[in-house]
C-alpha cells in the first residue's frame, strides 16, 4: 500500500511539474560558492564559535571578523545597544591581528566546505597593505573583503569609503598586494553609492559587498549620556534593510563586477529581494546574534523558492521586473 502510494506520488511529480533540481551555486571573482549565503564580518567571530550551533559546512562562505596587521583591543564598554529592529555597535574592530589569525584561526577554517573570506582593515593605506602581505601566506583563504569604512589617520581622519580618491587609493594598493581576489565592502554613509562603486571597480576590485553599518547614535535621557562609549555607532539589522536594498540595487546598476548584498537579512524572503535586485550573493549579519541558524534557513528557503518557481539561481539574479504589482503581469 505504502509502496503504491510512493509510486503514485513519483509519477505525479514526473507528470506534473517534472523533476527539477535548482542550481543555487554561484561563481564570484573566480571563486565557486556552493550557495550564495555568507555570514557577515564581525557577527560570526572566526567561525569556530558557531561550530556547536550549526553545520558550518553548509554555508556558502564565512567572512571572519575584521583583521588588522596588529592586534587591537577595541573600544571600552558599553559598545552595543539594541534599537527598534536593529542594533548599534562600536566594537572598535577588536581582533587578534593577522599573525595570530593565521596560526590559531585559519587551520580550523580551512577544514570546512564553506569558503573562507578574510575581512581586512587599517588606519592608513600602508596598514592595509601590511595586513594583506602577512595574510598572503595563509593557505585556505579564498578572498579578501576590504573594509573601507575606517578613518585614514594620516589624512585628517577622513573615512576611506566616504572619499572617492581615498577609496581608489586604498583599493589599488590592496589589489597590487593581494594574492587572493579582492571584494571591496562599501560604506552606506555616502550621497551617491554609484560614485564609490565605480571608484572601487576602476581601482581593480574583483567584486563589491555592501552595506556596512550606518552611522547612528542613542542617548539615555535620564543620565543625558550617550548609550555607547564611542558616542556614535554603526546601525545594523532589519531597520536598515530597505535603504540597504536600494543601495545594493544602485550599485549593481553602476558596475559590471559582482555585488554581494548585506543589510538586515533575517529570512529567505529578505535574501531573495537582494538577489532579484541584482546581488549575486548575500550576507547575514545581526541575525546571527539571536538566531544563529538564520543562514541555513535562508539557504533552504532560497532552494525552495527556486524549486517552486522552477528557476536556477542564475536566472533569478537581477530579474527585477518594472512596474508594480497590479500594473501588468505579476
Ligand atoms: C557587532 C558587529 C561587528 C561588526 N564588525 C565588522 C567588521 O569587523 N568588519 C566589517 O567590515 N563589518 C563589520 N560589521 C558590519 C556587518 O558585517 C554588516 O555589514 C552590517 O552589520 C549590516 O548587516 P546586518 O544588518 O545583516 O547586520 C559588524 C557589524 C556588527 C553588528
Amino acid at each position: 500500500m505504502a509502496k503504491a502510494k510512493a509510486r503514485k506520488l513519483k509519477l505525479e511529480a514526473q507528470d506534473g511539474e517534472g523533476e527539477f533540481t535548482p542550481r543555487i551555486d554561484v561563481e564570484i571573482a573566480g571563486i565557486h560558492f556552493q550557495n550564495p549565503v555568507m555570514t557577515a564580518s564581525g557577527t560570526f567571530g572566526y567561525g569556530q564559535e558557531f561550530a556547536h550551533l550549526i553545520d558550518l559546512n553548509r554555508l556558502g562562505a564565512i567572512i571572519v571578523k575584521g583583521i588588522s596587521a596588529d592586534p587591537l583591543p577595541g573600544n571600552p564598554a558599553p559598545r552595543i545597544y539594541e534599537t527598534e529592529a536593529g542594533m548599534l555597535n562600536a566594537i572598535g574592530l577588536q581582533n587578534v591581528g593577522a599573525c595570530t589569525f593565521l596560526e590559531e584561526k585559519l587551520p580550523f577554517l580551512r577544514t570546512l566546505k564553506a569558503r573562507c573570506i578574510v575581512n581586512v582593515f587599517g588606519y592608513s593605506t600602508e596598514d592595509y597593505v601590511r595586513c594583506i602581505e602577512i595574510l598572503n601566506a595563509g593557505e585556505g583563504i579564498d578572498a579578501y573583503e576590504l573594509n573601507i569604512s575606517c578613518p585614514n589617520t594620516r589624512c585628517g581622519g577622513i573615512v576611506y569609503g566616504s572619499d572617492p580618491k581615498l577609496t581608489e587609493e586604498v583599493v589599488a594598493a590592496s589589489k597590487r598586494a593581494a594574492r587572493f581576489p579582492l571584494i571591496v565592502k562599501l560604506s552606506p554613509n555616502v550621497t551617491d553609492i554609484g560614485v564609490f562603486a565605480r571608484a572601487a571597480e576602476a581601482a581593480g576590485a574583483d567584486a563589491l559587498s555592501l552595506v556596512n553599518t550606518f552611522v547612528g547614535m542613542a542617548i539615555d535621557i535620564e543620565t543625558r549620556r550617550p548609550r555607547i562609549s564611542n558616542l556614535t555607532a554603526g546601525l545594523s539589522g532589519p531597520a536598515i534593510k530597505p535603504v540597504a536594498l536600494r543601495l545594493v540595487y544602485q550599485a549593481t546598476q553602476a558596475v559590471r563586477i559582482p555585488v554581494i548584498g548585506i543589510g538586515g537579512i533575517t529570512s529567505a524572503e529578505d535574501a531573495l529581494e537582494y538577489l532579484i535586485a541584482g546581488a549575486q550573493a548575500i550576507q547575514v549579519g545581526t541575525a546571527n546574534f539571536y538566531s544563529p541558524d538564520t543562514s541555513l534557513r535562508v539557504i533552504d528557503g532560497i532552494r525552495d523558492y527556486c524549486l517552486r518557481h522552477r528557476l536556477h539561481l542564475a536566472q533569478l539574479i537581477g530579474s527585477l521586473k518594472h512596474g508594480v504589482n497590479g500594473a501588468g503581469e505579476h
Side-chain angles (χ1 to χ4, degrees), residues 61-173:
I62 293 173
I63 306 184
V64 298
K65 175 69 189 157
I67 301 284
S68 46
D70 300 311
L72 281 177
N75 290 329
R79 47 191 202 171
I80 280 186
Y81 179 71
E82 191 171 336
T83 65
E84 294 290 320
M87 68 186 272
L88 284 165
N89 94 82
I91 303 294
L93 296 166
Q94 176 182 352
N95 78 98
V96 296
C99 294
T100 305
F101 172 77
L102 291 184
E103 283 160 28
E104 294 179 11
K105 310 293 180 187
L106 189 59
F108 170 77
L109 288 161
R110 70 169 157 258
T111 64
L112 301 174
K113 250 180 104 184
R115 296 296 189 180
C116 169
I117 299 178
V118 181
N119 183 284
V120 171
F121 72 94
Y123 292 106
S124 69
T125 304
E126 295 74 28
D127 279 355
Y128 279 91
V129 169
R130 193 156 64 86
C131 184
I132 288 172
E133 283 172 352
I134 299 169
L135 292 170
N136 278 342
E139 289 311 324
I141 295 176
D142 292 294
Y144 296 122
E145 180 180 64
L146 210 64
N147 174 6
I148 60 169
S149 301
C150 299
N152 179 347
T153 47
R154 305 245 167 101
C155 200
I158 301 172
V159 173
Y160 276 98
S162 67
D163 180 296
K165 279 266 159 296
L166 285 179
T167 297
E168 269 194 54
E169 175 192 303
V170 74
V171 173

Side-chain angles (χ1 to χ4, degrees), residues 74-298:
N75 290 329
R79 47 191 202 171
I80 280 186
Y81 179 71
E82 191 171 336
T83 65
E84 294 290 320
M87 68 186 272
L88 284 165
N89 94 82
I91 303 294
L93 296 166
Q94 176 182 352
N95 78 98
V96 296
C99 294
T100 305
F101 172 77
L102 291 184
E103 283 160 28
E104 294 179 11
K105 310 293 180 187
L106 189 59
F108 170 77
L109 288 161
R110 70 169 157 258
T111 64
L112 301 174
K113 250 180 104 184
R115 296 296 189 180
C116 169
I117 299 178
V118 181
N119 183 284
V120 171
F121 72 94
Y123 292 106
S124 69
T125 304
E126 295 74 28
D127 279 355
Y128 279 91
V129 169
R130 193 156 64 86
C131 184
I132 288 172
E133 283 172 352
I134 299 169
L135 292 170
N136 278 342
E139 289 311 324
I141 295 176
D142 292 294
Y144 296 122
E145 180 180 64
L146 210 64
N147 174 6
I148 60 169
S149 301
C150 299
N152 179 347
T153 47
R154 305 245 167 101
C155 200
I158 301 172
V159 173
Y160 276 98
S162 67
D163 180 296
K165 279 266 159 296
L166 285 179
T167 297
E168 269 194 54
E169 175 192 303
V170 74
V171 173
S174 300
K175 177 66 188 169
R176 272 196 300 276
R179 178 182 156 207
F180 309 113
L182 191 69
I183 301 165
V184 176
K185 182 167 180 179
L186 300 181
S187 165
N189 303 303
V190 298
T191 42
D192 184 350
I193 199 73
V195 169
F196 293 87
R198 282 190 293 271
E201 182 182 47
D206 296 295
L208 301 177
S209 62
L210 67 153
V211 296
N212 211 318
T213 53
F214 289 79
V215 180
M217 61 189 273
I219 297 170
D220 179 339
I221 57 165
E222 294 309 319
T223 63
R224 285 179 267 154
R225 292 179 191 280
R227 297 276 191 189
I228 299 265
S229 68
N230 188 57
L231 183 58
T232 61
L235 180 66
S236 61
I240 70 170
K241 203 199 86 186
V243 191
L245 181 64
R246 183 265 298 175
L247 289 163
V248 167
Y249 172 73
Q250 289 176 332
T252 66
Q253 300 297 300
V255 294
R256 302 174 76 95
I257 50 177
V259 172
I260 301 168
I262 323 166
I265 296 177
T266 66
S267 65
E269 288 74 18
D270 291 335
L272 286 159
E273 283 191 71
Y274 279 94
L275 297 166
I276 292 168
Q280 306 257 343
I282 57 91
Q283 296 179 18
V284 173
T286 299
N288 292 312
F289 289 111
Y290 59 88
S291 180
D293 67 340
T294 304
S295 300
L296 302 188
R297 285 189 290 102
V298 170

